[in-house]
Amino acid sequence: MSRLRGVLIGSALGLLAAGCASFPEQPGPAGWSAAQQLTPQAGPVPELPGELPKGPVQGQQPGQQPTPVPPPQGCKDFNPAVVGTCLNPISGVALTDVNQTTGAVTALAAERATGRLLRVTKDVDPVEVAKLDVDAAGDGGLTGLTLSPTFAEDQLIFVYVTTATDNRVLRIAPDDVPKPVLTGIPKGPTGNRGVLAYDRTGALLVATGDAGNPGAAADPNSLAGKVLRIDATGQPARGNPTAGSRVLASGLKSPGGLCVSGDGTKTWVTDAGATADLLFRVEPGKALGDPAWSWPERPGVAGCASFSNAVMVAASATPGVLNLPMNPDGSFTGKPEAGMQGEDGFGRLGPLLMLDDTTALSGTVNKNPGGAPVSSDDRVVIIVREGGPVGGKD
């Protein structure tokens, strides 16, 4: 079985701590101490080899027949691309460590409905590092997760949650209670899902739902239905299109994925629109008008990853991923190509996180209604792509 190895780019970073610190179980009071400002990316960016299989078939030498991976036995999963097992449907993933000696990957996984944030490592029982009090009605709950760009130094985690009264962004620090960064994002019967990312300037990007009110998405004074750009205190980030405003773009309904290209020139957001699933390119200061792509068949677009020559979109309602071949300017060169839909996949996927231009981290949502979970679901998995079209196509 191939062994995953990783090297954290940047000699100044060194290795991250092998695990996250434990956190109290409940969110803390509204008051909180000042947080460090976000700075350009300095978090874990592993250099992962392309030796992992793209699905449940191990790598083999040219001319050799592939060796099938045995099916899971309970929570034991023999696929080397699987990092964590036996979770509830996963809404967010983040990479925290790659052990240079053993090759073991450590990641964080967020569960939407339970509010649990878990540390997972292959063949190790998941460890709960935080449990947030969330309202998971409709599409709400714990729906967004990202690490501080300076996670190697500050160990800060940011999450997007639905509470009894609102949607909000929280900050989780070692040996501290979770603390609010941005509160008062409207909550409604639907449209509570929100996702997080960070851009290459170190600003937090927050995609918010419309709380069931399309008018709020068009209202520049509402935090609903927007892509927001904030600093670590929740204030508008420097360089926003309108001084004093957190709004980067507007017009969302229920965002499922938010991703920034490796060079920082392209930002994408997926959305469950009124009549179709949508992929938008985010243009600062402009409303989200015509989508870059739409899916009237509604595959359940969720997380996304912006590679150098393609955008990969996870499909939470159907197995696999959707891959859009892309030109350097961000235009698409053809129709989406389905990948990882059969034996080379992991079923239905939720979040996606690009690790580098060959790999992504994802989480499955096979325990959601209509799924077909195996005994080790739901799982955190690593997806390896080829240099051309992605998602298991050579």
Side-chain angles (χ1 to χ4, degrees):
M1 179 179 294
S2 61
R3 187 176 66 181
L4 182 65
R5 300 185 300 273
V7 177
L8 300 180
I9 294 175
S11 58
L13 296 181
L15 285 175
L16 294 173
C20 299
S22 297
F23 302 103
E25 292 190 353
Q26 298 297 330
W32 59 287
S33 56
Q36 292 184 355
Q37 296 292 317
L38 286 178
T39 55
Q41 180 186 1
V45 182
E47 187 173 298
L48 301 174
E51 64 182 52
L52 279 174
K54 294 182 283 295
V57 176
Q58 295 186 25
Q60 67 272 354
Q61 297 299 319
Q64 289 183 337
Q65 293 297 316
T67 303
V69 174
Q73 296 179 3
C75 293
K76 174 72 174 180
D77 198 303
F78 299 95
N79 192 321
V82 172
V83 178
T85 63
C86 286
L87 305 174
N88 287 299
I90 299 166
S91 56
V93 290
L95 178 73
T96 60
D97 183 62
V98 182
N99 189 299
Q100 287 182 313
T101 301
T102 66
V105 171
T106 298
L108 293 177
E111 296 178 342
R112 182 188 72 84
T114 68
R116 294 196 305 167
L117 183 65
L118 300 135
R119 183 172 69 246
V120 295
T121 305
K122 191 173 184 65
D123 297 328
V124 176
D125 290 339
V127 176
E128 182 179 292
V129 297
K131 190 174 190 305
L132 304 163
D133 187 9
V134 300
D135 181 355
D139 56 0
L142 170 54
T143 61
L145 168 65
T146 193
L147 303 180
S148 161
T150 52
F151 179 80
E153 291 79 31
D154 56 35
Q155 301 285 293
L156 293 180
I157 302 164
F158 293 85
V159 293
Y160 190 95
V161 299
T162 308
T163 72
T165 58
D166 66 357
N167 291 291
R168 58 178 58 188
V169 178
L170 300 175
R171 181 195 69 162
I172 303 174
D175 303 319
D176 199 0
V177 294
K179 293 179 175 176
V181 173
L182 180 61
T183 63
I185 302 169
K187 176 188 177 183
T190 61
N192 296 303
R193 187 167 63 167
V195 286
L196 304 175
Y198 55 85
D199 66 16
R200 294 302 169 178
T201 71
L204 268 173
L205 301 179
V206 185
T208 69
D210 67 2
N213 179 9
D219 181 356
N221 297 313
S222 174
L223 297 177
K226 305 294 192 298
V227 178
L228 309 174
R229 184 171 178 268
I230 61 176
D231 62 23
T233 69
Q235 297 303 308
R238 290 184 179 180
N240 278 2
T242 301
S245 172
R246 300 178 177 90
V247 177
L248 190 68
S250 58
L252 292 172
K253 183 176 184 290
S254 180
L258 182 63
C259 54
V260 180
S261 62
D263 61 5
T265 62
K266 294 178 283 292
T267 299
W268 307 90
V269 62
T270 66
D271 191 23
T275 60
D277 285 350
L278 307 170
L279 174 69
F280 291 103
R281 183 169 179 180
V282 178
E283 300 286 351
K286 297 181 180 179
L288 299 170
D290 293 333
W293 204 269
S294 64
W295 291 269
E297 67 275 22
R298 290 195 177 280
V301 293
C304 61
S306 182
F307 296 105
S308 61
N309 62 352
V311 174
M312 176 188 287
V313 177
S316 63
T318 59
V321 294
L322 303 163
N323 308 295
L324 293 94
M326 183 179 62
N327 290 315
D329 65 358
S331 61
F332 296 130
T333 60
K335 295 181 178 180
E337 300 175 352
M340 304 186 69
Q341 290 189 312
E343 293 184 356
D344 64 340
F346 298 99
R348 303 192 302 179
L349 301 173
L352 271 180
L353 174 67
M354 185 181 71
L355 302 181
D356 59 20
D357 207 42
T358 64
T359 52
L361 191 68
S362 186
T364 69
V365 291
N366 292 315
K367 288 181 179 177
N368 280 341
V374 299
S375 67
S376 58
D377 274 323
D378 272 309
R379 296 169 285 176
V380 176
V381 299
I382 294 174
I383 298 171
V384 177
R385 65 177 287 253
E386 300 296 331
V390 294
K393 291 182 179 292
D394 294 327

